[in-house]
Amino acid sequence: MRDGHIHTPFCPHGSPDPLEQYVERAIVLGYTDISFTEHAPLPERFVDPTPDRDSAMERRQLERYLAAVADVKARYRNDITIRVGLEVDFIPGWEEETVRLLDEVGPLLDDSILSVHFLAHKGQYVCIDYSADMFADIVRLFGSVEHVHRTYYETVRQSIRTDMGRYKPKRIGHLTLVRKFWRRFPCPDPMTDLVLAILDDIEQFGYEIDYNGAGAAKPLCLEPYPPNHLITEARRRGIPIVYGSDAHRAADLHQGRDVMDHEALSIDNR
């Protein structure tokens, strides 16, 4: 079994659970392959729009993080495959800075994820998954839930189509993250054509999907990112699907698997 999306004590909005605790719990659960994918440092001049500015690890921590994961990778090499990775933000307007980071750290990575957490609107950036109250503010800023969703999916599509060099991540993170609060902020338009176009792009460029269990544990979502019907569409296209717990504490490992497409997970686990 594989978990391709796990955070660490280097995450400023996560838990202090040590790397060893994640590894040992993964082994107990039967995993044979895991990726630590901490939030990569944001561009140096980018201002994190969250209240505590804690969306990603600081630049000064990057070297320590890479060394720490390499250390547990070596120590547990006879028990489990551990991949050194990062979850990299695609931020419209900051592509050059992100490419420079990827060129620097790419040779040191075994795995990586490309995710959208931030949207641009009239020169302002917002974080869509911080809290339901902040999402309400974003809806007011954008004018409608539909506009927020459309901007999110268009940004995801932009992330797939943008040339970010040889070390660009090949797995697209939590494809429907914008639905994190959908039970409080339902979107009348499912935007099926746009989401299917994103799957077509992922197929065309040979990327993977992060089948993310975290949404199933969020009370205003209660579904994986993306939901199972989109995983069915991804499988029809032959897109590789990698389960990710998106764990921010060791107890989060394995979350969501009980409501996910078990056939898709079994393909991933071969």
Side-chain angles (χ1 to χ4, degrees), residues 11-192:
C11 179
H13 60 267
S15 77
D17 292 352
L19 293 172
E20 292 84 355
Q21 188 173 346
Y22 286 94
V23 174
E24 291 170 11
R25 176 162 167 75
I27 292 170
V28 168
L29 289 168
Y31 287 87
T32 58
D33 188 325
I34 62 173
S35 296
F36 285 113
T37 52
E38 194 49 77
H39 294 285
L42 300 174
E44 193 170 320
R45 293 178 295 106
F46 178 77
V47 178
D48 184 347
T50 62
D52 296 325
R53 298 187 178 179
D54 62 351
S55 294
M57 92 176 110
E58 296 181 14
R59 186 67 171 78
R60 61 183 176 82
Q61 294 180 303
L62 180 58
E63 186 175 345
R64 285 180 52 230
Y65 163 73
L66 295 172
V69 178
D71 175 60
V72 294
K73 173 182 177 178
R75 285 194 283 121
Y76 286 90
R77 64 185 178 277
N78 294 326
D79 305 300
I80 189 171
T81 297
I82 297 175
R83 307 189 197 208
V84 181
L86 287 172
E87 181 178 11
V88 179
D89 273 284
F90 178 83
I91 309 173
W94 294 86
E95 294 88 348
E96 290 185 10
E97 292 83 350
T98 305
V99 170
R100 284 198 293 269
L101 174 68
L102 288 169
D103 286 344
E104 176 187 344
V105 302
L108 306 176
L109 302 179
D110 305 315
D111 199 6
S112 57
I113 298 170
L114 187 66
S115 296
V116 171
H117 299 94
F118 305 106
L119 302 182
H121 182 74
K122 297 181 179 179
Q124 179 178 348
Y125 288 91
V126 297
C127 179
I128 62 162
D129 68 323
Y130 181 80
S131 70
D133 288 343
M134 183 176 282
F135 195 87
D137 293 338
I138 294 169
V139 170
R140 284 191 287 271
L141 177 68
F142 278 69
S144 69
V145 174
E146 293 96 323
H147 192 189
V148 177
H149 279 238
R150 184 166 297 280
T151 302
Y152 172 79
Y153 290 124
E154 288 173 348
T155 304
V156 170
R157 197 170 192 198
Q158 183 183 349
S159 76
I160 296 165
R161 290 172 163 260
T162 298
D163 181 1
M164 300 179 70
R166 63 182 296 193
Y167 297 111
K168 180 180 179 180
K170 303 304 182 190
R171 187 152 69 258
I172 306 303
H174 40 58
L175 183 59
T176 56
L177 181 66
V178 73
R179 289 177 58 83
K180 182 174 181 177
F181 309 111
W182 74 269
R183 291 176 180 269
R184 178 172 163 187
F185 302 98
C187 184
D189 182 353
M191 303 193 183
T192 303

